[in-house]
C-alpha cells in the first residue's frame, strides 16, 4: 500500500455554498470504491461561506469574491494538495484567474460536464441549462456548449430572477425541499422548450431535487456528481 | 457584519473515518442558524483516511496514528483555525498528546458529552456505552462517567469483537444500513441490562442508526451531534 504521506490529496475550495461543499464530499465518499478508511481519497476542504456573494459581484453590486477565493486557494496550496475542485459552477467565471495564481491544476467543472455530455450525444439534441443569473450572464455553459455545436435552451430572465434565484438562496438557509419543487418546475419548462436533458449548472440544485426525490434527476447532468466522479477517476488512477 | 478575514474558523481533524467527518460537517450546517452562505461557520476539514487504524494501534498490532494526526493538526494550525474538533471518539485517547502540540484548543468530545448527560441526569440512572474495542479498552468514557458518579453498562467483549467491530468497518465501506441493524441490537442489549440511555461513543454509529431510522436515536447521546452543537454554540457566541 502507498504510504500515508505519499497519497495525493484533493483540495476543495468550498463555501459557495457551504452545503454544496459538504454534498460534494458526500458524493466523493459514495462514488469511491474504498472498502476501508485508508483507501478513501484524502481531502482538505476549505469551506468558508464568508466569500462575497458571486451573484452580487457579477451584477457589479458587490465586492469581487476573487480575493477571498485566492485566500482559500493559498491555504490549500500550502497544505500540499495535488489537485483542486471547486463545487460551484458560478465560481468558474474566476477559474482562469485562480489558475493563474497556482501551479496546482484546478479541475474545470464546466469543461468536464460538457465532455460528459458529449459521450452519448446525438447530433441536434437540445440541452437545457438550469443556472444562476450570474452563471447565465457570463455565458459559462453557453460558450462551452457552442464550442461543440450543442444547441441549448435556458429559462427566461424573469423565471431566473423571480423563481430560480430565490430557490437557490432557500437551499442556503436549509429550505431544500421547497427549493426542489421550484427547480423541478423550471427544469420541466426547459423540457417543454425542447431540452432532452438538463445541466444542473448550480450545485444547490441537486440538493433541492434530492430533497424531493425528483424524477428530473434521471434526465440530468448533475455537475456535483460529474465533478466528484472526475476526482474519483483521477485519484484511483494515481494510487 | 464581521469582515471575511476576521471570522473565526473551525478546524476539523477528520479521516476517522472519512464518512464520520462528512456527517459531522452536515450536522454543523443543520444545527447552524445561518440564513445565507456568509453566516455559516467557516471550516477547514482535513479528512485523511490514511491515518493508521486506531483499533490496531490500541491492541499493539499496528502503527500509532499520532504522527499522522499531528501532521493534520499542523496543517489546520498553519491554516489559521481558532478551534479544533475531532469527530472520532476513539481518537480522543490521543487528545492530550495532540493538545500538547498546539496552543489552539481541541474540543474534548468525551468531556462535552458527559457534561451534556449531566444536564438532565437523575442520580442512579445507568448509561449504556456503545463504543469500539479500542475506546472501551482505554476506558475513555468509563473514567469520565465515574468522575461524576454515573453508573454505566457496556457490551461483552464477545459482542464488541464479533458483532460491533465488523459493523463499524461495514460503515466505512458504505454498508450503513446493515451496520445500523447491529448497532440497534447491541443498544437494545444495553437497555436490557438497565441502561436508560445510550452514548453513541463512536461516530460511525449514528450513520448506521440514521440509515435505518432507528428508534434508538431517541434515547441516545449522539456524540457527533453533541460535538457539532458545541461548535455552533462557540461560533455564534463569538461572532
Amino acid at each position: 500500500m502507498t504510504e500515508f504521506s505519499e497519497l495525493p490529496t484533493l483540495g476543495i475550495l468550498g463555501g459557495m455554498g457551504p452545503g454544496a461543499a459538504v454534498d460534494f464530499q458526500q458524493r466523493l465518499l459514495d462514488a469511491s470504491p474504498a472498502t476501508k478508511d485508508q483507501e478513501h481519497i484524502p481531502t482538505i476542504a476549505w469551506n468558508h461561506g464568508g466569500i462575497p456573494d458571486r451573484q452580487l459581484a457579477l451584477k457589479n453590486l458587490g465586492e469581487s469574491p476573487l480575493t477571498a477565493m485566492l485566500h482559500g486557494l493559498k491555504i490549500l496550496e500550502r497544505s500540499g494538495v495535488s489537485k483542486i475542485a471547486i463545487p460551484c459552477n458560478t465560481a468558474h467565471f474566476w477559474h482562469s484567474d485562480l489558475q493563474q495564481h497556482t501551479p496546482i491544476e484546478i479541475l474545470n467543472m464546466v469543461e468536464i460536464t460538457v465532455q460528459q455530455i458529449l459521450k452519448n450525444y446525438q447530433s441536434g439534441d437540445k440541452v437545457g441549462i438550469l443556472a444562476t443569473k450570474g452563471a447565465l450572464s457570463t455565458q459559462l455553459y453557453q460558450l462551452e456548449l457552442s464550442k461543440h455545436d450543442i444547441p441549448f435552451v435556458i429559462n427566461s430572465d424573469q423565471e431566473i430572477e423571480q423563481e430560480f434565484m430565490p430557490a437557490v438562496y432557500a437551499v442556503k438557509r436549509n429550505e431544500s425541499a421547497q427549493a426542489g419543487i421550484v427547480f423541478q418546475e423550471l427544469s420541466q419548462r426547459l423540457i417543454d422548450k425542447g431540452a432532452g436533458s438538463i445541466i444542473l449548472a448550480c450545485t444547490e440544485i441537486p440538493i433541492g431535487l434530492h430533497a424531493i426525490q425528483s424524477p428530473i434527476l434521471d434526465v440530468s447532468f448533475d455537475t456535483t456528481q460529474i465533478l466528484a466522479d472526475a476526482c474519483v477517476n483521477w485519484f484511483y488512477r494515481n494510487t
Side-chain angles (χ1 to χ4, degrees), chain A residues 15 33 36-37 50 86 90 98 102 107 116 123 141 154 159 163 229:
Chain A
K36 56 181 184 174
D37 289 353
I86 307 176
T90 307
L98 292 165
T102 181
L107 292 167
Q116 187 64 29
S123 180
Y141 275 93
I154 60 175
E159 284 171 329
E163 299 176 64
D229 289 341

Side-chain angles (χ1 to χ4, degrees), chain A residues 151-172:
Chain A
F152 54 81
V153 289
I154 60 175
N155 298 99
S156 71
D157 281 355
Q158 192 177 335
E159 284 171 329
I160 293 299
E161 287 187 21
Q162 295 181 10
E163 299 176 64
F164 183 76
M165 292 311 302
V168 167
Y169 286 104
V171 173
K172 295 173 186 294

